[in-house]
Amino acid sequence: MSKRIHTTDVGSIACNDLSDLGAGKENWLVNDTNLLCALDTHSIAIANRYLVFIINWADPDDSVLRAKIRPELSPIEAEYITALEWLVFEEIRVVAIGTSKGYLLVYDLKGDLVHRQLIHPGRILKLRVRGTKRDLTQDTSSEEVCVIMPGVIARFDGSDIQRMLHQRIYETSSQFWDRDQKPKRRDIGDLGNSFERLPYQLWNVSKYGPCADAAITGIMPPPLMELQSSQRYYCAVTIGEDAVISAFRLSEDRSRSLVGAILSKVVPATFSTIASFSKMIWRSEQPATKPEPKPQPFARASPLTCLKDHPRRGERFTLSPSGTLAAITDSLGRILLLDTQALVVVRLWKGYRDASCVFMEMLANRNSSTSSSVCYEPAKSDYCLCLAIHAPRKGIIEIWQMRTGSRISIIQCAKGSKMLQPTYRFGSSMSSSPYVPLEVFLLNGDSGQLSVLNRPLN
């Protein structure tokens, strides 16, 4: 009997430039806690505290290193990179960076700064990109970018970010054709005031202590006494040290977001006009002092439930594509499968210390009469949702079928490997053909080899 192959090599990230990130040392990809990775369909972004490398892994004929970004960080405040993620639209791909001072930075593939905005004072833990389409289980569709901070969640609408990126591309192309206009060098203090401020929602979810990770799982019904409310409510789940799991109902304050959007356009223009007018009158040689950006007020966040089990604490949080399931790892080596709608733990695994989890889709239904056809492409109904558990101490990846299915396979992996998943693509249609399943990739840091986990169950 031939040995079953669980992975397929798809590319490599090996290049000499990665030595700046520590490549060449054994287990460099997993030993350095400051290293961040974000995967796209053809590229990967790898960052340490001060540098971001964009590497093309899919095309061996192309240049491996596409860009080397050194973000404009504040040396006075010792600012550094704490979060990394791709923002992928149909024709636009940019890299989003979160910093230790609460700034969101967006760079294009050329390494040029596209957007800079203060979210909230504090460290950005994670950037989550997610979208849900209207179907039988979802009444509405939404695409969003969530910024996770200790005790704080911010939500950007995907359409606002897409509109901003299109506007920046138009402005860049206009400056390219205007040869008389020379670019001006700006310092870090002026960067925050030179970009349009994107509207977003902000919630305080620190009632049960600062969170280590969190996510907005989806839209939830309003409270019983507010059935006629026109506001939209979200469910957020957080994990942390004081409460292993806690849940909140987030109220979308639409009036505040509308006013904020108007003020973001009016206030900078008004301030610029007043400053210019005062300079003309008094002819002051001293530059006008620009006000520091003020934190946005919090919208309402109502606590729903929490699970406290000292000394256990939540460490990592993974959300399923539909948002109905979440996998949570804790400090005692357990993995909890949470139903985010009922807010109930439906499954528990033990003995997985330092584990990481990602959801994936495996090809389950393979009709022999149709699969033999050359033109046959599997549909969404042919796949089943699974959970991939990477246990680095055991050197294996286990695939479990959701919700209560058995373990499907065990995959051996190298010690210095890391599981990755391509980011969500904005505007991707659920009815697109062929259906693109949720895949999991395995990156071996020591060899630089990138592999994809095979999808068939048998």
Side-chain angles (χ1 to χ4, degrees), residues 254-267:
R254 294 186 177 182
S255 60
R256 178 174 295 167
S257 63
L258 179 60
V259 172
I262 296 175
L263 292 178
S264 65
K265 296 178 178 294
V266 175
V267 172

Side-chain angles (χ1 to χ4, degrees), residues 26 53 70 79 91 150 153 158 207 254 256 276 356 360 396 409:
E26 187 178 5
F53 286 81
R70 187 180 296 273
E79 188 177 15
E91 69 283 0
I153 298 178
K207 180 177 178 61
R254 294 186 177 182
R256 178 174 295 167
S276 302
S356 59
M360 64 180 299
I396 59 173
S409 62

Side-chain angles (χ1 to χ4, degrees), residues 93-348:
R93 289 193 304 155
V94 295
V95 175
I97 300 172
T99 74
S100 58
K101 297 302 178 180
Y103 278 91
L104 175 66
L105 313 179
V106 180
Y107 283 85
D108 61 18
L109 297 185
K110 298 179 181 178
D112 297 329
L113 181 63
V114 177
H115 185 72
R116 177 185 174 93
Q117 181 171 340
L118 175 65
I119 308 302
H120 189 77
R123 179 184 178 185
I124 294 180
L125 300 175
K126 198 163 190 176
L127 301 174
R128 289 189 177 272
V129 182
R130 183 171 172 267
T132 56
K133 298 297 180 181
R134 185 192 301 268
D135 56 13
L136 296 177
T137 60
Q138 298 287 339
D139 296 332
T140 58
S141 61
S142 65
E143 293 181 321
E144 63 193 20
V145 176
C146 290
V147 181
I148 311 301
M149 307 176 71
V152 175
I153 298 178
R155 180 188 182 274
F156 289 84
D157 194 273
S159 59
D160 292 330
I161 298 178
Q162 187 176 21
R163 176 188 54 79
M164 178 272 295
L165 293 176
H166 280 290
Q167 182 178 353
R168 293 293 297 178
I169 291 176
Y170 174 77
E171 294 175 355
T172 303
S173 61
S174 300
Q175 294 177 2
F176 175 78
W177 291 108
D178 188 4
R179 299 183 178 180
D180 296 334
Q181 183 177 359
K182 295 182 180 180
K184 297 180 181 180
R185 182 175 179 84
R186 300 167 295 185
D187 55 26
I188 296 180
D190 296 334
L191 288 176
N193 297 315
S194 61
F195 295 106
E196 172 191 358
R197 185 172 177 83
L198 293 175
Y200 65 97
Q201 293 288 318
L202 190 69
W203 296 278
N204 184 353
V205 291
S206 62
K207 180 177 178 61
Y208 304 110
C211 60
D213 201 352
I216 295 179
T217 61
I219 299 173
M220 68 180 308
L224 294 177
M225 302 302 294
E226 300 182 19
L227 293 178
Q228 303 300 324
S229 174
S230 60
Q231 293 186 0
R232 178 179 291 183
Y233 294 87
Y234 301 96
C235 178
V237 177
T238 68
I239 62 172
E241 183 173 353
D242 297 332
V244 181
I245 304 173
S246 57
F248 296 83
R249 178 187 282 111
L250 309 180
S251 172
E252 182 184 41
D253 194 343
R254 294 186 177 182
S255 60
R256 178 174 295 167
S257 63
L258 179 60
V259 172
I262 296 175
L263 292 178
S264 65
K265 296 178 178 294
V266 175
V267 172
T270 305
F271 179 82
S272 177
T273 304
I274 296 175
S276 302
F277 184 71
S278 61
K279 198 178 241 186
M280 292 174 58
I281 295 178
W282 288 285
R283 297 189 180 278
S284 174
E285 296 182 357
Q286 297 180 354
T289 58
K290 298 186 178 181
E292 292 292 332
K294 296 182 179 180
Q296 179 171 308
F298 291 112
R300 186 175 60 178
S302 304
L304 297 175
T305 185
C306 74
L307 171 63
K308 293 187 177 182
D309 186 17
H310 187 77
R312 179 168 57 165
R313 63 181 185 274
E315 293 183 341
R316 295 182 179 90
F317 186 95
T318 305
L319 194 64
S320 67
S322 63
T324 57
L325 290 176
I328 301 168
T329 62
D330 64 20
S331 57
L332 300 182
R334 300 173 182 176
I335 301 175
L336 292 78
L337 186 64
L338 177 71
D339 185 325
T340 60
Q341 294 179 330
L343 297 178
V344 174
V345 176
V346 296
R347 196 165 184 177
L348 178 69

